Amino acid sequence: MTQTLRLKKNADRRLKAGHLWLYSNEVDIEATPLKGLEPGAQVVIEAANGKAMGVAYVNPNSLICARVVSRDPNMRLDRSLLVHRLNQALALRQRFYAKPFYRLVHGEGDLLPGLVVDRFDDVVVVQLNTLGMERLAEEVVAALDKVLSPRVIVFKNDSSGRRQEQLERQVTVAKGELDGPVLMEENGVRFHVPVLDGQKTGWFFDHRANRAWLNGLVAGKRVLDVFSYIGGWGVQAAAHGASEVLCVDASAQALERVAENAALNGLHEQVTVGEADAFEALAALKADGEQFDVVILDPPAFIKKRKDIPNGERAYGKLNREAMRLLGRDGLLLSASCSMHLAQERLVEVVRGAVRHQDRHGQVVYQGHQAADHPVHPAIPETAYLKALGVRVFRD
Protein backbone atom coordinates (compact mmCIF):
# COMPACT_ATOMS: atom_id res chain seq x y z
CA MET A 1 0.00 0.00 0.00
CA THR A 2 1.56 3.31 -1.11
CA GLN A 3 1.59 6.01 1.56
CA THR A 4 0.13 9.45 0.97
CA LEU A 5 1.36 12.99 1.48
CA ARG A 6 -1.41 15.52 2.02
CA LEU A 7 -0.93 19.20 1.23
CA LYS A 8 -2.20 22.17 3.21
CA LYS A 9 -5.11 24.18 1.86
CA ASN A 10 -4.12 26.11 -1.31
CA ALA A 11 -0.62 24.55 -1.24
CA ASP A 12 -1.42 22.74 -4.48
CA ARG A 13 -1.30 25.86 -6.66
CA ARG A 14 2.24 25.39 -7.94
CA LEU A 15 1.59 21.71 -8.59
CA LYS A 16 -1.51 22.60 -10.62
CA ALA A 17 0.61 25.10 -12.57
CA GLY A 18 2.93 22.26 -13.56
CA HIS A 19 5.72 22.48 -10.96
CA LEU A 20 7.29 19.24 -9.76
CA TRP A 21 8.61 20.26 -6.34
CA LEU A 22 6.97 20.31 -2.92
CA TYR A 23 8.44 22.07 0.10
CA SER A 24 8.11 20.75 3.64
CA ASN A 25 6.12 23.82 4.76
CA GLU A 26 3.41 22.95 2.20
CA VAL A 27 2.65 19.56 3.76
CA ASP A 28 -0.17 19.00 6.24
CA ILE A 29 2.03 17.19 8.76
CA GLU A 30 -0.87 16.56 11.12
CA ALA A 31 -2.67 14.51 8.48
CA THR A 32 0.49 12.95 7.03
CA PRO A 33 3.60 13.33 9.22
CA LEU A 34 6.66 13.78 7.00
CA LYS A 35 8.92 12.19 9.60
CA GLY A 36 6.91 8.97 9.33
CA LEU A 37 7.91 8.51 5.68
CA GLU A 38 10.90 6.49 4.59
CA PRO A 39 13.44 8.71 2.81
CA GLY A 40 13.39 7.96 -0.91
CA ALA A 41 10.01 6.21 -0.84
CA GLN A 42 7.32 6.96 -3.42
CA VAL A 43 4.06 8.48 -2.23
CA VAL A 44 0.73 9.64 -3.65
CA ILE A 45 0.33 13.42 -3.34
CA GLU A 46 -3.11 14.57 -2.19
CA ALA A 47 -4.69 18.01 -2.20
CA ALA A 48 -6.17 19.26 1.08
CA ASN A 49 -9.55 17.80 0.04
CA GLY A 50 -8.04 14.33 -0.42
CA LYS A 51 -7.95 14.40 -4.25
CA ALA A 52 -4.96 12.47 -5.62
CA MET A 53 -2.67 14.73 -7.69
CA GLY A 54 0.17 12.43 -8.68
CA VAL A 55 3.11 10.39 -7.47
CA ALA A 56 6.34 11.73 -6.00
CA TYR A 57 9.38 10.42 -4.18
CA VAL A 58 10.12 11.96 -0.79
CA ASN A 59 13.02 13.01 1.37
CA PRO A 60 11.76 14.33 4.74
CA ASN A 61 15.28 15.63 5.52
CA SER A 62 15.49 17.93 2.49
CA LEU A 63 13.94 21.39 1.99
CA ILE A 64 12.39 20.11 -1.25
CA CYS A 65 10.67 17.23 0.51
CA ALA A 66 9.02 15.67 -2.55
CA ARG A 67 9.54 15.63 -6.32
CA VAL A 68 6.70 14.63 -8.62
CA VAL A 69 7.45 11.85 -11.12
CA SER A 70 3.97 11.39 -12.63
CA ARG A 71 0.60 13.16 -12.63
CA ASP A 72 -1.08 9.76 -12.73
CA PRO A 73 -1.56 8.59 -9.13
CA ASN A 74 -1.59 4.97 -10.33
CA MET A 75 1.90 5.19 -11.87
CA ARG A 76 5.18 4.42 -10.12
CA LEU A 77 8.68 5.47 -11.10
CA ASP A 78 10.07 2.08 -12.06
CA ARG A 79 11.99 0.54 -14.95
CA SER A 80 8.96 0.78 -17.25
CA LEU A 81 8.38 4.52 -16.65
CA LEU A 82 12.14 5.19 -16.88
CA VAL A 83 12.26 3.49 -20.29
CA HIS A 84 9.27 5.56 -21.44
CA ARG A 85 10.83 8.84 -20.27
CA LEU A 86 14.23 7.93 -21.76
CA ASN A 87 12.61 7.22 -25.13
CA GLN A 88 10.81 10.59 -24.98
CA ALA A 89 14.11 12.31 -24.15
CA LEU A 90 15.99 10.47 -26.90
CA ALA A 91 13.38 11.44 -29.52
CA LEU A 92 13.96 15.13 -28.71
CA ARG A 93 17.75 14.87 -29.02
CA GLN A 94 17.59 12.92 -32.26
CA ARG A 95 15.41 15.68 -33.69
CA PHE A 96 18.13 18.26 -33.03
CA TYR A 97 21.44 16.42 -33.25
CA ALA A 98 22.83 14.23 -36.02
CA LYS A 99 25.57 12.75 -33.81
CA PRO A 100 25.19 10.96 -30.45
CA PHE A 101 26.83 13.59 -28.25
CA TYR A 102 24.39 15.46 -26.01
CA ARG A 103 22.69 15.69 -22.64
CA LEU A 104 20.17 12.87 -22.84
CA VAL A 105 18.34 13.64 -19.58
CA HIS A 106 18.13 17.10 -18.01
CA GLY A 107 16.43 16.33 -14.70
CA GLU A 108 13.12 18.12 -14.25
CA GLY A 109 13.30 19.40 -17.83
CA ASP A 110 12.77 15.78 -18.94
CA LEU A 111 10.32 14.95 -16.12
CA LEU A 112 12.98 12.91 -14.32
CA PRO A 113 13.86 15.01 -11.27
CA GLY A 114 17.23 14.18 -9.77
CA LEU A 115 18.58 12.42 -12.88
CA VAL A 116 21.16 13.76 -15.33
CA VAL A 117 22.53 11.68 -18.20
CA ASP A 118 25.16 12.88 -20.69
CA ARG A 119 25.81 10.77 -23.78
CA PHE A 120 29.18 10.37 -25.48
CA ASP A 121 28.18 7.89 -28.20
CA ASP A 122 28.44 4.45 -26.54
CA VAL A 123 29.51 5.85 -23.16
CA VAL A 124 26.87 7.42 -20.90
CA VAL A 125 27.61 9.34 -17.73
CA VAL A 126 24.88 9.40 -15.09
CA GLN A 127 24.39 11.70 -12.11
CA LEU A 128 21.94 10.62 -9.41
CA ASN A 129 21.42 13.83 -7.46
CA THR A 130 18.62 12.82 -5.07
CA LEU A 131 17.92 9.99 -2.68
CA GLY A 132 14.78 9.00 -4.60
CA MET A 133 16.84 8.54 -7.78
CA GLU A 134 19.72 6.89 -5.92
CA ARG A 135 17.35 4.14 -4.79
CA LEU A 136 16.55 3.45 -8.44
CA ALA A 137 20.18 3.12 -9.58
CA GLU A 138 19.76 -0.47 -10.81
CA GLU A 139 16.56 0.39 -12.68
CA VAL A 140 18.32 3.38 -14.30
CA VAL A 141 21.07 1.08 -15.58
CA ALA A 142 18.50 -1.45 -16.86
CA ALA A 143 16.46 1.28 -18.58
CA LEU A 144 19.54 2.80 -20.25
CA ASP A 145 20.53 -0.70 -21.39
CA LYS A 146 17.12 -1.24 -22.94
CA VAL A 147 16.97 2.15 -24.71
CA LEU A 148 20.61 2.63 -25.76
CA SER A 149 22.55 -0.54 -24.82
CA PRO A 150 25.71 1.55 -24.22
CA ARG A 151 29.13 -0.05 -23.94
CA VAL A 152 29.90 1.84 -20.71
CA ILE A 153 27.73 3.39 -17.98
CA VAL A 154 29.50 5.64 -15.47
CA PHE A 155 27.90 6.89 -12.26
CA LYS A 156 29.47 10.32 -11.65
CA ASN A 157 27.89 10.82 -8.25
CA ASP A 158 30.13 13.57 -6.90
CA SER A 159 27.89 16.65 -7.18
CA SER A 160 27.57 19.04 -4.23
CA GLY A 161 23.78 18.58 -4.30
CA ARG A 162 24.18 15.04 -2.99
CA ARG A 163 25.36 16.42 0.32
CA GLN A 164 21.99 18.14 0.84
CA GLU A 165 20.35 14.75 0.28
CA GLN A 166 22.81 13.15 2.74
CA LEU A 167 24.32 10.94 0.05
CA GLU A 168 27.95 9.88 -0.34
CA ARG A 169 29.97 11.28 -3.23
CA GLN A 170 31.57 8.67 -5.45
CA VAL A 171 32.45 7.80 -9.05
CA THR A 172 31.89 4.21 -10.24
CA VAL A 173 31.71 2.36 -13.54
CA ALA A 174 28.37 0.52 -13.42
CA LYS A 175 28.77 -1.28 -16.76
CA GLY A 176 31.73 -2.08 -19.01
CA GLU A 177 35.27 -0.81 -18.59
CA LEU A 178 36.73 2.66 -18.92
CA ASP A 179 40.26 3.70 -18.04
CA GLY A 180 40.71 7.05 -19.80
CA PRO A 181 39.00 9.91 -21.61
CA VAL A 182 36.30 9.40 -24.25
CA LEU A 183 36.25 10.90 -27.73
CA MET A 184 33.43 13.25 -28.69
CA GLU A 185 32.66 15.93 -31.25
CA GLU A 186 30.98 19.32 -30.99
CA ASN A 187 30.46 21.85 -33.77
CA GLY A 188 32.78 19.81 -36.01
CA VAL A 189 35.66 19.82 -33.49
CA ARG A 190 36.90 16.70 -31.68
CA PHE A 191 37.71 16.47 -27.98
CA HIS A 192 39.03 13.95 -25.50
CA VAL A 193 36.73 14.28 -22.48
CA PRO A 194 37.77 13.13 -18.97
CA VAL A 195 34.44 11.70 -17.81
CA LEU A 196 35.92 9.95 -14.76
CA ASP A 197 37.96 12.78 -13.23
CA GLY A 198 36.78 15.93 -15.03
CA GLN A 199 34.30 18.56 -13.88
CA LYS A 200 30.64 17.45 -13.63
CA THR A 201 30.15 14.74 -16.30
CA GLY A 202 33.39 15.77 -18.03
CA TRP A 203 31.89 18.17 -20.58
CA PHE A 204 29.46 21.11 -20.71
CA PHE A 205 27.07 20.50 -23.59
CA ASP A 206 24.89 23.44 -22.54
CA HIS A 207 26.98 26.09 -24.34
CA ARG A 208 27.03 24.26 -27.71
CA ALA A 209 24.81 26.79 -29.55
CA ASN A 210 26.61 29.77 -27.97
CA ARG A 211 29.98 28.39 -29.05
CA ALA A 212 28.61 27.84 -32.55
CA TRP A 213 27.57 31.52 -32.68
CA LEU A 214 30.99 32.72 -31.55
CA ASN A 215 32.80 30.32 -33.90
CA GLY A 216 31.48 32.36 -36.83
CA LEU A 217 33.14 35.56 -35.58
CA VAL A 218 36.69 34.58 -34.64
CA ALA A 219 38.50 34.11 -37.96
CA GLY A 220 41.81 35.99 -37.89
CA LYS A 221 41.18 37.20 -34.32
CA ARG A 222 43.31 37.03 -31.17
CA VAL A 223 41.18 35.25 -28.55
CA LEU A 224 41.40 34.93 -24.75
CA ASP A 225 39.44 32.07 -23.15
CA VAL A 226 39.17 32.53 -19.36
CA PHE A 227 38.08 29.58 -17.17
CA SER A 228 38.89 27.51 -20.24
CA TYR A 229 38.53 24.07 -18.60
CA ILE A 230 39.55 21.59 -21.37
CA GLY A 231 39.17 24.06 -24.25
CA GLY A 232 35.51 23.88 -25.28
CA TRP A 233 35.50 27.53 -26.34
CA GLY A 234 39.17 28.13 -27.11
CA VAL A 235 39.96 25.05 -29.18
CA GLN A 236 36.75 25.55 -31.17
CA ALA A 237 37.73 29.18 -31.81
CA ALA A 238 41.13 28.03 -33.13
CA ALA A 239 39.42 25.42 -35.31
CA HIS A 240 37.26 28.17 -36.79
CA GLY A 241 40.17 30.35 -37.81
CA ALA A 242 41.28 32.35 -34.76
CA SER A 243 44.90 33.39 -35.37
CA GLU A 244 45.91 32.93 -31.73
CA VAL A 245 44.11 31.58 -28.65
CA LEU A 246 45.23 31.81 -25.02
CA CYS A 247 43.39 29.44 -22.64
CA VAL A 248 43.60 30.37 -18.95
CA ASP A 249 42.54 28.07 -16.11
CA ALA A 250 43.59 27.45 -12.51
CA SER A 251 43.80 23.69 -13.12
CA ALA A 252 47.05 22.32 -14.58
CA GLN A 253 45.23 19.08 -15.37
CA ALA A 254 42.56 20.92 -17.38
CA LEU A 255 45.24 22.79 -19.34
CA GLU A 256 47.00 19.53 -20.19
CA ARG A 257 43.68 18.49 -21.76
CA VAL A 258 43.51 21.79 -23.66
CA ALA A 259 46.91 21.06 -25.19
CA GLU A 260 45.84 17.49 -26.03
CA ASN A 261 42.60 18.67 -27.62
CA ALA A 262 44.40 21.36 -29.63
CA ALA A 263 46.85 18.72 -30.91
CA LEU A 264 43.98 16.32 -31.65
CA ASN A 265 42.67 18.89 -34.14
CA GLY A 266 46.09 19.92 -35.49
CA LEU A 267 45.90 23.31 -33.70
CA HIS A 268 48.83 23.11 -31.27
CA GLU A 269 50.52 26.14 -32.87
CA GLN A 270 47.49 28.43 -32.51
CA VAL A 271 46.62 27.48 -28.90
CA THR A 272 48.69 28.34 -25.83
CA VAL A 273 47.79 27.89 -22.16
CA GLY A 274 48.35 29.79 -18.92
CA GLU A 275 47.82 28.35 -15.45
CA ALA A 276 46.52 31.06 -13.12
CA ASP A 277 43.64 32.37 -11.06
CA ALA A 278 41.38 34.18 -13.53
CA PHE A 279 41.46 37.58 -11.78
CA GLU A 280 45.25 37.44 -11.35
CA ALA A 281 45.71 36.39 -14.98
CA LEU A 282 43.58 39.29 -16.26
CA ALA A 283 45.56 41.78 -14.15
CA ALA A 284 48.91 40.32 -15.29
CA LEU A 285 47.91 40.40 -18.96
CA LYS A 286 46.89 44.05 -18.60
CA ALA A 287 50.20 44.88 -16.88
CA ASP A 288 52.02 43.24 -19.80
CA GLY A 289 50.14 45.45 -22.27
CA GLU A 290 48.35 42.51 -23.92
CA GLN A 291 45.28 43.09 -26.10
CA PHE A 292 42.71 40.72 -27.57
CA ASP A 293 39.98 40.99 -30.21
CA VAL A 294 37.71 38.53 -28.37
CA VAL A 295 37.51 37.66 -24.67
CA ILE A 296 35.44 34.70 -23.44
CA LEU A 297 34.28 34.57 -19.81
CA ASP A 298 32.64 31.29 -18.82
CA PRO A 299 33.13 31.15 -15.03
CA PRO A 300 31.74 28.62 -12.56
CA ALA A 301 28.61 29.67 -10.67
CA PHE A 302 29.58 32.58 -8.40
CA ILE A 303 26.07 32.47 -6.91
CA LYS A 304 25.20 29.08 -5.45
CA LYS A 305 22.47 30.26 -3.05
CA ARG A 306 20.22 33.29 -2.81
CA LYS A 307 22.29 34.73 0.03
CA ASP A 308 25.33 34.78 -2.32
CA ILE A 309 23.65 37.18 -4.80
CA PRO A 310 25.27 40.49 -3.63
CA ASN A 311 28.81 39.04 -3.43
CA GLY A 312 28.30 37.06 -6.61
CA GLU A 313 27.12 40.06 -8.61
CA ARG A 314 30.17 42.01 -7.41
CA ALA A 315 32.44 39.17 -8.58
CA TYR A 316 30.77 39.07 -12.01
CA GLY A 317 31.14 42.85 -12.20
CA LYS A 318 34.85 42.78 -11.39
CA LEU A 319 35.46 39.93 -13.83
CA ASN A 320 33.73 41.74 -16.70
CA ARG A 321 35.53 45.02 -15.94
CA GLU A 322 38.94 43.35 -15.92
CA ALA A 323 38.18 41.46 -19.14
CA MET A 324 37.07 44.61 -20.97
CA ARG A 325 40.39 46.30 -20.18
CA LEU A 326 42.05 43.70 -22.42
CA LEU A 327 39.84 44.36 -25.44
CA GLY A 328 41.11 46.54 -28.29
CA ARG A 329 39.26 49.62 -29.54
CA ASP A 330 36.47 47.53 -31.04
CA GLY A 331 36.32 44.16 -29.33
CA LEU A 332 33.87 41.37 -28.62
CA LEU A 333 33.14 40.05 -25.13
CA LEU A 334 31.34 36.76 -24.58
CA SER A 335 30.09 36.97 -21.01
CA ALA A 336 28.40 33.87 -19.59
CA SER A 337 26.86 32.81 -16.28
CA CYS A 338 25.59 29.42 -15.15
CA SER A 339 24.26 30.85 -11.85
CA MET A 340 20.57 30.04 -11.65
CA HIS A 341 20.12 32.98 -9.23
CA LEU A 342 21.54 35.55 -11.66
CA ALA A 343 18.72 36.62 -13.99
CA GLN A 344 19.47 37.47 -17.62
CA GLU A 345 18.62 41.15 -17.04
CA ARG A 346 21.02 41.25 -14.07
CA LEU A 347 23.83 39.93 -16.28
CA VAL A 348 23.02 42.70 -18.78
CA GLU A 349 23.19 45.15 -15.87
CA VAL A 350 26.58 43.74 -14.79
CA VAL A 351 27.89 44.23 -18.34
CA ARG A 352 26.42 47.74 -18.54
CA GLY A 353 28.17 48.72 -15.30
CA ALA A 354 31.47 47.27 -16.53
CA VAL A 355 31.25 49.12 -19.86
CA ARG A 356 30.56 52.44 -18.13
CA HIS A 357 33.36 51.81 -15.63
CA GLN A 358 35.78 51.61 -18.60
CA ASP A 359 34.17 54.71 -20.15
CA ARG A 360 33.33 52.75 -23.29
CA HIS A 361 30.18 51.89 -25.19
CA GLY A 362 28.57 48.47 -25.22
CA GLN A 363 26.14 46.89 -27.64
CA VAL A 364 24.50 43.58 -26.76
CA VAL A 365 24.50 41.77 -30.10
CA TYR A 366 23.65 38.27 -28.89
CA GLN A 367 21.66 36.77 -26.04
CA GLY A 368 22.08 33.03 -25.74
CA HIS A 369 20.95 30.34 -23.36
CA GLN A 370 21.27 26.60 -22.92
CA ALA A 371 21.01 24.30 -25.93
CA ALA A 372 17.95 22.20 -26.82
CA ASP A 373 19.32 19.14 -24.99
CA HIS A 374 18.83 21.12 -21.75
CA PRO A 375 15.07 21.72 -22.11
CA VAL A 376 13.52 24.29 -19.79
CA HIS A 377 10.48 23.19 -17.77
CA PRO A 378 8.10 26.15 -18.19
CA ALA A 379 6.84 25.88 -14.61
CA ILE A 380 10.32 25.58 -13.07
CA PRO A 381 12.43 28.72 -13.59
CA GLU A 382 15.40 26.94 -11.99
CA THR A 383 15.75 24.73 -15.10
CA ALA A 384 16.66 27.85 -17.15
CA TYR A 385 20.02 28.64 -15.59
CA LEU A 386 22.43 29.46 -18.44
CA LYS A 387 23.02 32.91 -19.92
CA ALA A 388 25.48 34.08 -22.57
CA LEU A 389 25.82 37.65 -23.83
CA GLY A 390 27.74 38.69 -26.91
CA VAL A 391 28.77 42.31 -26.34
CA ARG A 392 30.56 44.65 -28.72
CA VAL A 393 32.75 46.95 -26.61
CA PHE A 394 34.07 50.03 -28.38
CA ARG A 395 35.36 53.57 -27.88
CA ASP A 396 34.05 56.77 -29.40
Side-chain angles (χ1 to χ4, degrees), residues 23 32 67 102 165 174 183-184 192 205 211 213 264 281 298 301 309 311 314-315 317 322 350 352 364 383 389 393-394:
Y23 293 96
T32 52
R67 296 172 198 254
Y102 39 68
E165 293 270 323
L183 186 66
M184 59 83 67
H192 279 135
F205 284 116
R211 293 189 191 113
W213 174 79
L264 179 65
D298 185 16
I309 289 176
N311 286 341
R314 277 194 290 276
E322 296 301 305
V350 161
R352 182 206 61 77
V364 177
T383 58
L389 296 180
V393 180
F394 61 106

Side-chain angles (χ1 to χ4, degrees), residues 144-343:
L144 282 166
D145 251 344
K146 185 167 175 64
V147 174
L148 290 180
S149 44
R151 178 175 60 86
V152 177
I153 299 175
V154 176
F155 278 134
K156 191 79 188 294
N157 291 330
D158 58 357
S159 70
S160 57
R162 283 175 65 89
R163 202 180 302 126
Q164 292 156 359
E165 293 270 323
Q166 287 150 16
L167 294 167
E168 283 180 31
R169 297 167 73 170
Q170 56 192 8
V171 179
T172 53
V173 179
K175 179 194 176 184
E177 289 181 17
L178 191 67
D179 51 11
V182 300
L183 186 66
M184 59 83 67
E185 186 184 308
E186 182 179 286
N187 296 327
V189 185
R190 292 179 306 151
F191 291 89
H192 279 135
V193 174
V195 299
L196 292 173
D197 57 359
Q199 293 179 23
K200 301 289 176 81
T201 64
W203 184 256
F204 296 90
F205 284 116
D206 49 5
H207 268 306
R208 177 196 326 241
N210 302 322
R211 293 189 191 113
W213 174 79
L214 189 66
N215 289 345
L217 298 167
V218 294
K221 306 294 188 195
R222 189 164 194 245
V223 176
L224 173 64
D225 178 9
V226 190
F227 304 100
S228 70
Y229 183 42
I230 63 172
W233 292 93
V235 173
Q236 286 191 39
H240 288 84
S243 58
E244 201 182 322
V245 177
L246 172 59
C247 289
V248 172
D249 201 277
S251 161
Q253 192 179 16
L255 293 174
E256 281 175 28
R257 304 276 188 210
V258 171
E260 282 173 30
N261 287 323
L264 179 65
N265 293 278
L267 301 166
H268 48 283
E269 290 184 5
Q270 289 98 305
V271 180
T272 54
V273 300
E275 183 188 343
D277 166 81
F279 291 96
E280 289 170 13
L282 292 171
L285 287 164
K286 181 62 183 171
D288 291 343
E290 297 283 1
Q291 273 200 347
F292 296 87
D293 303 301
V294 179
V295 178
I296 300 156
L297 299 177
D298 185 16
F302 289 159
I303 306 173
K304 293 264 202 288
K305 299 192 172 83
R306 256 181 229 286
K307 66 177 176 57
D308 303 333
I309 289 176
N311 286 341
E313 287 193 0
R314 277 194 290 276
Y316 282 115
K318 183 181 179 190
L319 183 66
N320 280 269
R321 285 196 304 275
E322 296 301 305
M324 283 179 194
R325 295 170 67 202
L326 293 171
L327 285 169
R329 289 190 64 80
D330 190 353
L332 183 64
L333 175 72
L334 190 293
S335 182
S337 165
C338 60
S339 293
M340 177 182 80
H341 295 294
L342 184 75

Side-chain angles (χ1 to χ4, degrees), residues 6-9 11 14 21-28:
R6 184 162 293 191
L7 302 179
K8 292 176 180 171
K9 194 176 178 190
R14 276 184 319 107
W21 296 350
L22 292 170
Y23 293 96
S24 46
N25 62 359
E26 296 173 319
V27 176
D28 181 348

